[in-house]
Amino acid sequence: MKHESSIVSPNAKIGKNVKIGHYSVIYDNVIIGDDTVIDGFCEIGYPTRMSNGNPLVIGKNSHIRSHSVFYEGSTFKENLVTGHRVTVREHTHGGVNLQIGTLSDFQGDCEIGNYVRAHSNVHIGKHSKVGNFVWIFPYVVLTNDPHPPSETMLGVTVKDFSVIATMSVILPGITVNEHSLVGSHSLVNKDVPTGMVVVGNPAKILCETHSIKLRNNNQQSAYPWPRHFRREYPDSVIKEWESMFGPKII
Amino acid sequence: MKHESSIVSPNAKIGKNVKIGHYSVIYDNVIIGDDTVIDGFCEIGYPTRMSNGNPLVIGKNSHIRSHSVFYEGSTFKENLVTGHRVTVREHTHGGVNLQIGTLSDFQGDCEIGNYVRAHSNVHIGKHSKVGNFVWIFPYVVLTNDPHPPSETMLGVTVKDFSVIATMSVILPGITVNEHSLVGSHSLVNKDVPTGMVVVGNPAKILCETHSIKLRNNNQQSAYPWPRHFRREYPDSVIKEWESMFGPKII
Amino acid sequence: MKHESSIVSPNAKIGKNVKIGHYSVIYDNVIIGDDTVIDGFCEIGYPTRMSNGNPLVIGKNSHIRSHSVFYEGSTFKENLVTGHRVTVREHTHGGVNLQIGTLSDFQGDCEIGNYVRAHSNVHIGKHSKVGNFVWIFPYVVLTNDPHPPSETMLGVTVKDFSVIATMSVILPGITVNEHSLVGSHSLVNKDVPTGMVVVGNPAKILCETHSIKLRNNNQQSAYPWPRHFRREYPDSVIKEWESMFGPKII
């Protein structure tokens, strides 16, 4: 199942039914779970001293799209899906069903929860902590240095079910709390309270998230978003959501 | 004219005098017009169920630069030119002489007119409609979801001769009307009237476009821009512009 | 030292102990200094008429990471280091120990000083002039056209020891003077005075840089940053800094 033009180290530990595309390179210190697809032109397990010898672990049933580079020393649970040209550096630890969009750049030394969806061109700085069911939209940057350049690294924390919209920057050490929404093109320099919408440069509280109504049904709140958005989540998750948020609204 | 290291499906329909570079991959469901150049490391016709079986069509006399990925199911008329590492997903439909800059990311399900120039790192969300002679500068994002994440998609409309400057975000459902200018680093949350300049976060009307004077000739307005900028447009277009806007100013 | 899958022109002038990775392409008009590493999937010396026949020169002891594209006609002194998928166009001239981050896009016709560090996804427009010891963080854009599109190119100037934080745009013709700091997500439309912090959209003066204190030591100013940040600079530079700024603070 590996393309004849791929270059696969004999030391790499590769599961059953793994597909490796044209011209892709799998380095030595790599563990790939069963049923995973690696597209073409990828580099999987790019060597780095900073891995401290830890392998790159890709969970089963994952799909890494073409031209992506994953460094040695990171770990991902099952069902990882990426876009094209993703870069992921050492000591990134991702939960189940993580999606990483085209051109996204994960700088390493970060913890990402389960069912997180990062869209295209998302930049996750070192020491970020991202919870479960978080959405991060294009060109968002999670920063870490309060007075660049320095050796002080204050990572950003983004908690469960939060949403960060396009082109927003979260400043070092900030916490975006549960079920909150950062509007597009915002600069967030204060912690975002649970369930609130912040917008602007610098970002200010606009309203509670549940005061935002769905455009196609103005009787219903758009948040918490799991009440109406369920595409590609497994039944087990939807069942959990129904117990938390009630039945699906239309 | 295909490099010996390229991988070209025998099912792909490839015109006369087409050049295919080192290590590039041409998939099955692809139609490439005459005299087109595909650089190295490209993937042309990346398979996707979402194409509904439609082919990728690249018009004649096009040039796709290296490391680009075009999905099956999109169509481009003649003279397409791209930078490097462009991503174009299914159901993108581009007019003649489209330019797509390095690292740009077209998400699919969108209509792009004739003679549009997208610079580097432009993100075109699904359901965008871009007219003719539009300019879009680096790191601009056309969004579509009014309350992310949701199943509601309200695309952005950008009309003829408009210009969107660097790092601006256009919010879902917004129309940028003809001959308008969105200044750098703006967040556009209201329709932009014809011939007006908007700037800021959120963007506000600053002035009429034709009150902006050319720096090298303070007697003349910089807009409509076809009065002074004509690089790489064909004679037929310039003739049409002369009838619309008068002779070239210096 | 070249991988068997690389394609290296016999006309390229390649120094001693140069390593060329899998599938990389080295074109004709290229000079590579001793002890340099070119990773896989790179294109080095991408041909362009606009080079006027000038070669691409990469100084000794450099490291170009995978998937990068360097055009013919640019020059780099020793110890260039890049991230992945860097694009550098013709007539870019870089000093010693330049770092160019993943996905950065240098448009050419620009001058970059010594010991400059551009982080990920930095966009350097044509006619930019960047001094020595400058830091530029992710998604920063140096622009050049005061009324786009036009033939007028007013490059940005960034002077020694200045720092431009994430997602800021510098408008055409602006000078960012020595030892200044542009805060994140700023739009800079006026010259930045020496030693000042500017922030906002549009950016305004916030304070003097040396009134910003280090978080881990509130008695000490975080600027000039060479007083405390010295990672990966050579002894000769640190010695020079000690004579300029005094001994290292902790």
Side-chain angles (χ1 to χ4, degrees):
Chain A
M1 295 286 276
K2 49 182 191 175
H3 193 277
E4 59 185 7
S5 63
S6 64
I7 302 173
V8 180
S9 165
N11 299 320
K13 295 184 182 66
I14 297 179
K16 283 178 231 158
N17 193 33
V18 168
K19 215 171 146 185
I20 296 169
H22 45 267
Y23 302 118
S24 273
V25 177
I26 315 292
Y27 292 93
D28 286 351
N29 196 12
V30 170
I31 301 171
I32 300 178
D34 298 347
D35 302 310
T36 282
V37 176
I38 311 287
D39 276 5
F41 305 116
C42 289
E43 295 185 287
I44 304 299
Y46 185 91
T48 171
R49 274 173 307 139
M50 285 181 283
S51 71
N52 303 326
N54 291 309
L56 171 67
V57 181
I58 304 287
K60 65 182 182 184
N61 197 37
S62 295
H63 186 181
I64 295 179
R65 286 204 175 78
S66 63
H67 299 265
S68 291
V69 178
F70 277 71
Y71 279 53
E72 185 184 46
S74 287
T75 62
F76 296 89
K77 294 190 175 155
E78 63 264 31
N79 306 325
L80 171 67
V81 175
T82 83
H84 305 275
R85 309 185 194 80
V86 160
T87 312
V88 178
R89 293 198 48 183
E90 64 279 358
H91 309 305
T92 297
H93 300 293
V96 300
N97 289 54
L98 172 58
Q99 296 185 2
I100 305 178
T102 289
L103 292 169
S104 287
D105 183 0
F106 282 39
Q107 297 270 305
D109 290 317
C110 59
E111 304 284 334
I112 315 290
N114 298 322
Y115 299 97
V116 169
R117 297 193 180 173
H119 208 284
S120 298
N121 227 320
V122 164
H123 184 101
I124 305 291
K126 288 186 183 199
H127 305 289
S128 297
K129 284 187 184 169
V130 177
N132 302 313
F133 303 109
V134 167
W135 283 82
I136 307 181
F137 284 92
Y139 299 78
V140 164
V141 178
L142 307 188
T143 67
N144 54 31
D145 188 342
H147 31 44
S150 80
E151 298 288 3
T152 306
M153 294 277 110
L154 300 175
V156 164
T157 301
V158 184
K159 295 204 171 169
D160 297 2
F161 295 102
S162 286
V163 177
I164 306 178
T166 294
M167 199 83 79
S168 289
V169 173
I170 316 297
L171 289 184
I174 294 298
T175 296
V176 177
N177 279 294
E178 288 86 352
H179 287 290
S180 59
L181 169 62
V182 175
S184 285
H185 223 301
S186 298
L187 175 70
V188 180
N189 65 358
K190 286 186 196 135
D191 289 355
V192 180
T194 299
M196 301 304 281
V197 182
V198 302
V199 298
N201 180 352
K204 294 191 172 137
I205 292 175
L206 178 69
C207 60
E208 297 188 327
T209 52
H210 64 246
S211 68
I212 297 179
K213 303 301 183 195
L214 282 172
R215 294 286 181 106
N216 58 359
N217 179 345
N218 64 20
Q219 303 302 95
Q220 295 283 355
S221 172
Y223 299 91
W225 57 263
R227 297 171 73 221
H228 59 88
F229 188 87
R230 298 178 170 187
R231 203 190 320 149
E232 294 178 31
Y233 294 94
D235 287 349
S236 58
V237 161
I238 289 171
K239 205 165 170 185
E240 188 191 332
W241 287 353
E242 299 219 331
S243 72
M244 293 168 77
F245 308 117
K248 189 179 182 187
I249 58 175
I250 291 134
Chain B
M1 297 286 275
K2 51 183 189 175
H3 194 276
E4 61 185 6
S5 63
S6 63
I7 302 173
V8 180
S9 165
N11 299 321
K13 295 184 181 66
I14 296 179
K16 282 178 231 159
N17 194 32
V18 169
K19 214 170 146 186
I20 297 169
H22 45 268
Y23 304 117
S24 274
V25 177
I26 315 293
Y27 292 93
D28 286 351
N29 196 11
V30 170
I31 301 170
I32 301 178
D34 298 347
D35 303 309
T36 281
V37 177
I38 311 287
D39 275 6
F41 306 115
C42 289
E43 294 185 286
I44 304 300
Y46 186 91
T48 172
R49 274 174 307 139
M50 285 182 282
S51 70
N52 304 326
N54 291 310
L56 171 67
V57 181
I58 304 286
K60 66 183 182 183
N61 197 35
S62 294
H63 186 182
I64 296 179
R65 286 204 175 77
S66 62
H67 300 266
S68 292
V69 178
F70 277 72
Y71 278 54
E72 185 185 48
S74 287
T75 62
F76 295 90
K77 294 190 175 157
E78 64 264 31
N79 305 325
L80 171 67
V81 175
T82 83
H84 306 275
R85 307 184 196 82
V86 160
T87 311
V88 178
R89 293 199 48 184
E90 63 279 359
H91 307 305
T92 297
H93 300 293
V96 301
N97 289 56
L98 172 58
Q99 296 186 1
I100 305 178
T102 289
L103 292 169
S104 287
D105 184 358
F106 283 37
Q107 296 271 305
D109 289 317
C110 59
E111 304 284 333
I112 315 289
N114 297 322
Y115 299 97
V116 169
R117 297 192 179 174
H119 209 284
S120 298
N121 227 318
V122 164
H123 183 101
I124 304 292
K126 288 186 183 199
H127 304 289
S128 297
K129 283 188 184 169
V130 176
N132 302 313
F133 302 110
V134 167
W135 283 81
I136 307 181
F137 284 91
Y139 299 79
V140 164
V141 179
L142 307 188
T143 67
N144 54 31
D145 188 344
H147 30 45
S150 81
E151 297 289 3
T152 306
M153 292 279 111
L154 300 175
V156 164
T157 301
V158 184
K159 294 203 171 170
D160 297 2
F161 295 103
S162 285
V163 177
I164 306 178
T166 294
M167 199 81 80
S168 289
V169 173
I170 316 297
L171 288 184
I174 294 297
T175 296
V176 177
N177 279 294
E178 288 85 353
H179 287 290
S180 59
L181 170 62
V182 175
S184 285
H185 224 301
S186 297
L187 175 70
V188 180
N189 64 358
K190 286 186 196 135
D191 288 354
V192 180
T194 299
M196 300 304 280
V197 182
V198 302
V199 297
N201 181 350
K204 293 190 173 138
I205 291 175
L206 178 69
C207 60
E208 297 188 327
T209 52
H210 65 245
S211 68
I212 297 178
K213 302 300 183 194
L214 282 173
R215 295 285 182 104
N216 57 0
N217 180 346
N218 64 19
Q219 304 300 96
Q220 294 283 355
S221 172
Y223 299 92
W225 57 263
R227 296 171 74 221
H228 59 87
F229 188 86
R230 299 179 170 189
R231 204 191 319 148
E232 295 177 31
Y233 294 95
D235 287 348
S236 59
V237 161
I238 289 171
K239 205 164 170 185
E240 188 191 332
W241 287 353
E242 299 218 332
S243 72
M244 293 167 77
F245 308 117
K248 190 180 183 189
I249 58 175
I250 291 136
Chain C
M1 296 286 275
K2 51 181 188 175
H3 194 276
E4 59 184 7
S5 63
S6 64
I7 302 173
V8 180
S9 165
N11 298 322
K13 295 183 181 68
I14 296 179
K16 283 178 230 158
N17 194 33
V18 168
K19 216 172 144 185
I20 297 169
H22 45 268
Y23 303 116
S24 273
V25 177
I26 314 293
Y27 292 93
D28 285 351
N29 195 12
V30 171
I31 301 170
I32 301 177
D34 298 347
D35 303 309
T36 282
V37 176
I38 311 287
D39 276 5
F41 305 115
C42 288
E43 294 185 287
I44 303 299
Y46 186 91
T48 172
R49 274 175 305 140
M50 285 182 281
S51 71
N52 304 325
N54 290 309
L56 171 67
V57 181
I58 305 287
K60 67 183 180 182
N61 197 36
S62 295
H63 185 181
I64 295 178
R65 287 204 175 77
S66 62
H67 299 265
S68 292
V69 179
F70 277 71
Y71 278 53
E72 185 185 48
S74 286
T75 62
F76 295 90
K77 294 190 176 158
E78 63 264 29
N79 306 325
L80 171 67
V81 174
T82 83
H84 306 276
R85 308 184 194 81
V86 160
T87 311
V88 178
R89 294 199 48 183
E90 65 278 1
H91 308 304
T92 297
H93 300 293
V96 301
N97 290 55
L98 172 58
Q99 296 185 3
I100 305 178
T102 289
L103 293 169
S104 286
D105 184 0
F106 282 39
Q107 296 271 305
D109 289 316
C110 60
E111 304 284 332
I112 315 290
N114 298 322
Y115 300 97
V116 169
R117 296 192 180 174
H119 209 284
S120 298
N121 227 320
V122 164
H123 184 101
I124 304 291
K126 288 186 183 200
H127 303 290
S128 297
K129 284 188 183 170
V130 177
N132 303 313
F133 304 110
V134 167
W135 283 81
I136 307 181
F137 284 92
Y139 298 78
V140 164
V141 179
L142 307 188
T143 67
N144 54 31
D145 188 344
H147 31 45
S150 81
E151 298 288 4
T152 306
M153 293 278 111
L154 300 175
V156 164
T157 302
V158 184
K159 295 204 171 170
D160 297 1
F161 295 104
S162 286
V163 177
I164 306 177
T166 294
M167 199 82 79
S168 289
V169 173
I170 316 296
L171 288 184
I174 294 298
T175 296
V176 176
N177 279 294
E178 288 85 353
H179 288 290
S180 58
L181 170 62
V182 175
S184 285
H185 223 300
S186 298
L187 174 70
V188 180
N189 64 358
K190 285 186 197 135
D191 289 354
V192 180
T194 299
M196 301 305 280
V197 182
V198 302
V199 297
N201 182 349
K204 294 191 172 136
I205 291 175
L206 178 69
C207 60
E208 297 188 329
T209 52
H210 65 246
S211 69
I212 297 178
K213 303 300 182 193
L214 282 172
R215 294 287 181 105
N216 58 359
N217 180 344
N218 64 19
Q219 304 301 95
Q220 293 284 355
S221 172
Y223 298 91
W225 56 264
R227 296 171 73 221
H228 59 88
F229 188 88
R230 298 177 171 191
R231 203 193 317 150
E232 295 176 31
Y233 294 94
D235 287 349
S236 59
V237 161
I238 288 170
K239 205 165 170 185
E240 188 191 332
W241 286 354
E242 300 218 332
S243 73
M244 292 167 77
F245 307 117
K248 189 180 183 190
I249 59 175
I250 292 138

